[in-house]
């Protein structure tokens, strides 16, 4: 951002021609990303990854996308409004970058005509009431407690989209527009029918993600385990020192935070991904990434896990620690090809893009018909 507060707008005119365009015609979409990471992020940054992939898919479908975010833009957006030249990663969680992002969004969209705004931030949806174009928002995190109160107060000024049916069930009283599962570029993940014998834990170091349980279960099952994860915040470092460092025995390897390339190599080489979450996680992207590589998932039955992993087909879903240990041994019977097929059918990028097309059409057409549809089992859409 310039010193006077003006956002930088870059326009890329060299775009690929549309592929499989929307038969109902193109939409002008304002896509609002959080300010914390570049687009796409180099390592951690799940929401920014989803936003970047969605932008690329929507332009391939013939839609005109204005992207508002921070850092570098490597997407195919037609316009890019850069809020912060360097993302304020060190201030992660500070409300001011979010508010500045919202202010930049308001200024940009006052001059750029759009048919619909898709906002992935916390503060941005507060501006929905004052604009003529409808706003769709995705609930990327919790929908209970203060979050529930916030979404409830936004009311019908936004169309609220869930990333899993489990998330919708966690607060069925909210006026959900529909469900669209997160997705990955399945073709970018290497498929392997064989493996290197280790199990993998990949995520953020916290009790919610259960890395200490993954280590204990792998050791009890007699399997080596590799851990790769985010270790930047003070609470993550404290957790690591307390729970992980004492468990770095023989057969337990911590390799640091994995970038996109390293993550794919680790997932493709793993015998299984261990996902022992300890909370009702609305969507675990790493499960889809593992399946895309042909790697089965061993996971606790929490949140969206039963919705993403087909028990006995693409992994094993368990309820107790003892079952987790047994599953690490038994998971070798899962067919890698079935994992890849599941990822392609339900969690590939075109599936997500078409799902959001439906959400955009629902609000642009002035109706809320999708709200009447019950949560579904798999795939994108309501």
């Amino acid at each position: 951002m310039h010193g006077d507060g003006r956002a930088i707008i870059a326009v890329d005119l060299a775009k690929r021609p549309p592929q499989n365009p929307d038969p109902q015609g193109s939409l002008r979409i304002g896509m609002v990303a959080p300010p914390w990471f570049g687009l796409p992020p180099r390592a951690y940054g799940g929401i920014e990854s989803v936003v970047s992939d969605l932008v690329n898919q929507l332009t391939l479908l013939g839609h005109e996308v204005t992207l508002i975010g921070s850092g570098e833009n490597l997407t195919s957006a037609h316009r890019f409004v850069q809020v912060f030249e360097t993302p304020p990663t060190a201030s992660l969680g500070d409300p001011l970058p979010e508010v500045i992002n919202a202010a930049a969004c308001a200024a940009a969209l006052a001059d750029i005509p759009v048919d619909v705004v898709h906002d992935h931030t916390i503060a941005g949806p507060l501006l929905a009431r004052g604009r003529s174009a409808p706003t769709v928002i995705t609930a990327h995190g919790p929908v209970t407690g203060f979050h529930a109160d916030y979404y409830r107060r936004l009311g019908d000024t936004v169309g609220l989209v869930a990333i899993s049916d489990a998330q919708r069930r966690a607060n069925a009283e909210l006026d959900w527009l529909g469900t669209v599962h997160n997705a990955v570029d399945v073709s970018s993940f290497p498929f392997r029918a064989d493996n290197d014998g280790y199990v993998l834990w990949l995520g953020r170091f916290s009790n919610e993600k259960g890395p200490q349980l993954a280590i204990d279960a792998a050791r009890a099952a007699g399997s080596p385990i590799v851990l790769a994860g985010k270790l930047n915040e003070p609470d993550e470092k404290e957790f690591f020192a307390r729970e992980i460092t004492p468990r770095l025995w023989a057969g337990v390897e911590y390799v640091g935070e994995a970038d996109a390339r390293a993550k794919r190599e680790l997932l493709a080489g793993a015998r299984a991904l261990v996902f022992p979450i300890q909370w009702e996680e609305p969507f675990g992207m790493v499960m889809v990434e593992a399946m895309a590589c042909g790697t089965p998932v061993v996971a606790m039955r929490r949140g969206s896990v039963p919705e993403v992993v087909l028990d006995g087909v693409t992994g094993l879903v368990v309820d107790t620690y003892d079952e987790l240990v047994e599953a690490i041994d038994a998971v070798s019977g899962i067919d890698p090809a079935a994992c890849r097929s599941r990822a392609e059918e339900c969690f590939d990028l075109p599936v997500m893009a078409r799902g959001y097309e439906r959400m955009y059409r629902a609000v642009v057409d002035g109706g809320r018909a999708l709200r009447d549809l019950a949560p579904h089992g798999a795939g994108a859409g309501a």
Side-chain angles (χ1 to χ4, degrees), residues 144-165:
T144 56
F146 282 119
H147 294 86
D149 194 27
Y150 177 57
Y151 291 133
R152 191 177 299 111
R153 290 174 187 273
L154 290 173
D156 61 4
T157 64
V158 300
L160 181 60
V161 177
I163 56 176
S164 68
D165 295 335

Side-chain angles (χ1 to χ4, degrees), residues 7-379:
I8 302 170
I9 300 181
V11 181
D12 182 3
L13 299 178
K15 299 299 174 186
R16 291 175 290 177
Q19 300 177 13
N20 303 315
D22 185 351
Q24 298 185 60
S26 64
L27 290 169
R28 298 169 299 177
I29 303 165
M31 189 73 65
V32 187
W36 308 112
F37 301 97
L39 300 153
R42 294 184 180 275
Y44 187 80
I47 298 176
E48 289 81 1
S49 292
V50 169
V51 171
S52 300
D53 288 336
L54 180 56
V55 166
N56 293 337
Q57 288 296 307
L58 291 170
T59 59
L60 284 175
L61 292 171
H63 301 295
E64 179 183 312
V65 181
T66 295
L67 175 61
I68 300 168
S70 293
E72 62 182 353
N73 168 40
L74 299 180
T75 75
S76 58
H78 296 77
R79 300 181 186 87
F80 178 51
V81 179
Q82 187 188 68
V83 181
F84 295 100
E85 184 175 358
T86 301
T89 306
S91 302
L92 192 64
D94 187 330
L96 275 178
E98 271 271 354
V99 174
I100 293 170
N101 198 72
C105 174
L109 296 183
D111 298 325
I112 301 171
V114 295
D115 299 309
V116 61
V117 175
H118 188 176
D119 201 316
H120 299 263
T121 70
I122 296 296
L126 292 170
L127 303 174
R129 192 179 300 275
R131 64 169 63 106
S132 58
T135 298
V136 169
I137 66 174
T138 299
H140 287 283
V143 293
T144 56
F146 282 119
H147 294 86
D149 194 27
Y150 177 57
Y151 291 133
R152 191 177 299 111
R153 290 174 187 273
L154 290 173
D156 61 4
T157 64
V158 300
L160 181 60
V161 177
I163 56 176
S164 68
D165 295 335
Q167 186 185 47
R168 289 173 70 171
R169 288 192 296 270
N171 195 337
E173 295 180 357
L174 292 177
D175 192 14
W176 296 103
L177 179 63
T179 299
V180 180
H181 286 141
N182 288 336
V184 301
D185 181 3
V186 174
S187 66
S188 75
F189 286 82
F191 173 78
R192 280 183 60 176
D194 61 346
N195 63 77
D196 295 329
Y198 62 87
V199 296
L200 175 68
W201 177 91
L202 182 64
R204 173 173 51 84
F205 282 99
S206 70
N207 186 65
E208 292 178 340
K209 300 290 187 177
Q212 75 279 25
L213 296 177
I215 295 174
D216 292 347
R219 188 185 192 198
S223 173
I225 183 170
V226 174
L227 300 99
K230 179 175 176 289
L231 188 57
N232 302 325
E233 306 302 320
D235 58 337
E236 295 165 352
K237 294 178 180 179
E238 189 278 330
F239 176 86
F240 190 94
R242 185 182 72 250
E243 298 289 348
I244 305 303
T245 299
R247 288 178 164 88
L248 292 179
W249 310 303
V252 180
E253 182 181 7
Y254 170 56
V255 297
E257 183 174 356
D259 61 17
R261 179 177 179 179
K263 176 173 65 174
R264 284 163 170 77
E265 292 176 352
L266 288 167
L267 285 167
R271 186 166 62 85
L273 173 76
V274 184
F275 194 67
I277 55 169
Q278 298 299 294
W279 74 298
E280 305 305 320
E281 186 163 354
F283 197 91
M285 186 75 82
V286 69
M287 293 187 290
V288 174
E289 294 172 334
M291 292 190 300
C293 293
T295 300
V297 180
V298 174
M300 301 298 286
R301 195 186 309 275
R302 301 291 295 270
S304 67
V305 165
E307 201 171 321
V308 176
V309 179
L310 290 183
D311 187 30
V313 178
T314 65
L316 297 173
V317 181
V318 302
D319 296 292
T320 68
Y321 170 78
D322 289 342
E323 291 177 350
L324 186 70
V325 175
E326 294 173 1
I328 289 175
D329 181 59
V331 75
S332 57
I334 298 295
D335 181 7
C339 298
R340 177 76 169 203
S341 177
R342 167 76 170 170
E344 290 173 335
E345 179 183 356
C346 300
F347 305 107
D348 208 356
L349 294 181
V351 182
M352 177 177 68
R354 288 298 190 188
Y356 275 116
E357 272 187 337
R358 294 184 62 204
M359 303 299 132
Y360 301 155
R361 291 295 178 190
V363 296
V364 169
D365 294 344
R368 294 291 189 271
L370 290 178
R371 297 175 191 261
D372 296 329
L373 299 179
H376 57 92

